[in-house]
Every structure is written in C-alpha cells, then in structure tokens.
C-alpha cells in the first residue's frame, strides 16, 4: 500500500467510518486506554487517530495529541473534539506518522489503534513511535493480525491483493512484525468480537 492509496481509502471511509468501525472496534480502544492507566499530566500521542473515537476515553488531565494523514478523517476528529469540549486534546495534526515532526522523547505513551496494517511501512512507523516516545515510556498497539486458524488465514491471504482498495492488509503477520521491529511484548490480550484483534503493550527501551 502506498500513502496515496491510504489517503484515497480513508477519504472514502470518512463519512461512514464511525457507523461501520465505531462500535465494532470500541472494545479494543477502551482496553488500550484503560491499560495505559494515565496519570495527570501524562502526554499521549495517537498515530492514525482517525475520526478521534478514542479521544473521549482519556481523562481530562491527560494531554493528547493526534496525527493522521487523512484530512477528511481529521476533520471529523476536530468536530468530535469540539462536540465533547475536549480541551485536553491539545492538537490534531495532518502528518505522516512514518516521518513525524516531533522532537525525540516527547511523549509518555504512544498508541497506534488499528493503524499498523494500514501504513505503507509498519517497521518505519514503529521506529518513529519509539523515537518520539520517552525512554521507559510505553507503546500500545491494537490491530488485527493474520489468523492462526488455517482456513481463516487462507481467506485473509486471498483478499490481501485488495489491500489498496480496502485500506488495510488483512493477512498482516504478528510474528513477522515482531521479528522485524524487535518489539518486546509485555502484555497481550485479544479484543473485540471473538478476540479477532489483539492489543499489546511494549516498553520503550532505547
Ligand atoms: C482503521 S483507521 C483507525 C482510526 C482510529 N485509530 C480508530 O481507532 O478508529 C486507520 C487510520 O490510520 C491513518 N493512517 C494510515 N497511514 C497513516 C500514516 N502513515 N500516518 C498517519 N496516519 C495514517 C488513516 O488515515 C486512518 O485514519
């Protein structure tokens, strides 16, 4: 997938995104934010913040920054911020999370919810997430990975050539991702319907 395919896909998804992917992916968002156990004053970066569905889940004393490449998704996130009067959401910026403008060691926690199988280069994304996360800070990832059931895995492989059109890679391998990024998973749990998605936490050892 290239970045233009991502932008095109999410331009199409933006108007109906909350309806189609709001409730169905809500459990994973809630689990991730709850697991963060943020303290007052913590700074959180959400890469691929989308329409901002997770933003109301943070406490009002947590400073949240969101970035996304899709202006149409961000427009909705900004609307949601206004609607819920989320003053702790300090910035929603159009930015490629694979190459961010933030200085190194800026955030206590960095989250990617349903993003890593969407970006063109997940390894580069993780490298950037680590760079902007403080040493000893935490990185949270929620995503669907290739299913261990051979039948479901085969179906996912069959539809993977449609990635550019559907806007994500359905057969994204967790094992390959971990071996390429060198991330060390600390906590891992299945989330959403039938545990089809996974949430995990890593500590940013630099
Ligand atoms: C499946 S949506 C997830 C949105 C949100 N995190 C949620 O929980 O609903 C994936 C989002 O990642 C964004 N995205 C994809 N590639 C990106 C990149 N390189 N940099 C920033 N955002 C990106 C897309 O525009 C889209 O809004």
């Amino acid at each position: 997938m290239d970045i233009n395919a991502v932008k095109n896909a999410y331009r199409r998804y933006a108007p109906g995104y909350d309806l189609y992917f709001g409730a169905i992916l809500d459990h994973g968002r809630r689990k991730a934010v709850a697991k963060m156990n943020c303290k007052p004053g913590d700074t959180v970066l959400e890469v691929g913040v989308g329409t901002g569905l997770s933003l109301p889940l943070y406490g009002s004393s947590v400073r949240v920054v969101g970035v996304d490449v899709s202006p149409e998704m961000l427009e909705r996130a900004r609307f949601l911020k206004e609607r819920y009067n989320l003053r702790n959401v300090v910035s929603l910026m159009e930015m490629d999370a694979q190459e961010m403008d933030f200085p190194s060691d800026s955030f206590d926690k960095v989250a990617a919810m349903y993003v890593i199988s969407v970006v063109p280069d997940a390894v580069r994304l993780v490298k950037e997430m680590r760079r902007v996360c403080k040493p000893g800070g935490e990185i949270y990832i929620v995503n669907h990975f290739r299913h261990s059931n051979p039948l479901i895995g085969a179906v996912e492989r069959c539809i993977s050539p449609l990635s550019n059109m559907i806007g994500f890679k359905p057969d994204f391998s967790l094992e390959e991702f971990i071996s390429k990024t060198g991330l060390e998973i600390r906590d891992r749990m299945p989330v959403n319907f039938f545990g089809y998605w996974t949430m995990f936490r890593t500590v940013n050892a630099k």
Side-chain angles (χ1 to χ4, degrees), residues 26 32 40 47 56 61 64 89 93 109 123 155 160 168 170 186 198:
D26 189 53
V47 299
S61 59
V64 186
V89 177
M93 306 162 86
K109 298 171 202 299
V123 177
V155 173
S160 69
F168 66 95
R186 293 287 175 95
T198 301

Side-chain angles (χ1 to χ4, degrees), residues 3 6-7 10 17 21 25 29 46-54 67-70 73 95-98 112-115 118-120 125 167:
I3 204 85
V6 173
K7 288 184 182 183
Y10 284 90
Y17 186 86
F21 300 106
L25 302 179
R29 295 184 192 99
E46 271 208 31
V47 299
V49 67
T51 58
L53 290 168
S54 57
V67 301
D68 204 287
V69 276
S70 165
M73 295 289 274
M95 198 185 286
D96 183 350
Q98 300 168 120
M113 303 195 201
Y114 314 109
V115 180
V118 173
V119 292
L125 171 70

Side-chain angles (χ1 to χ4, degrees), residues 84-148:
Y84 288 96
N85 193 22
L86 302 174
R87 286 195 218 135
N88 62 311
V89 177
V90 289
S91 182
L92 292 167
M93 306 162 86
E94 190 177 332
M95 198 185 286
D96 183 350
Q98 300 168 120
E99 198 173 13
M100 293 187 271
D101 296 337
F102 305 115
S104 301
D105 308 340
S106 294
F107 299 95
D108 296 298
K109 298 171 202 299
V110 182
M113 303 195 201
Y114 314 109
V115 180
I116 55 163
S117 59
V118 173
V119 292
D121 186 343
V123 177
R124 202 168 135 207
L125 171 70
V126 168
K127 204 172 159 202
E128 267 300 86
M129 291 171 73
R130 280 174 139 167
R131 183 185 68 76
V132 300
C133 185
K134 293 178 185 172
E138 293 176 321
I139 291 178
Y140 289 80
I141 290 181
V142 187
N143 216 77
H144 166 66
F145 296 97
R146 183 187 297 157
H147 208 280
S148 53

Side-chain angles (χ1 to χ4, degrees), residues 36-54:
M36 284 182 206
N37 196 18
C38 291
K39 296 173 202 60
D42 271 357
T43 51
V44 177
L45 169 68
E46 271 208 31
V47 299
V49 67
T51 58
L53 290 168
S54 57

Side-chain angles (χ1 to χ4, degrees), residues 18-34:
D18 292 2
L19 184 65
Y20 301 127
F21 300 106
I24 202 169
L25 302 179
D26 189 53
H27 179 242
R29 295 184 192 99
R30 283 179 189 278
K31 282 284 170 195
V33 176

Side-chain angles (χ1 to χ4, degrees), residues 144 146-147 149-162 166 168-172 196:
H144 166 66
R146 183 187 297 157
H147 208 280
N149 177 303
L151 197 64
I152 302 176
V155 173
E156 290 170 348
R157 261 194 298 279
C158 279
I159 57 171
S160 69
L162 302 176
I166 59 181
F168 66 95
K169 300 162 204 148
D171 68 335
F172 195 77
Y196 192 65

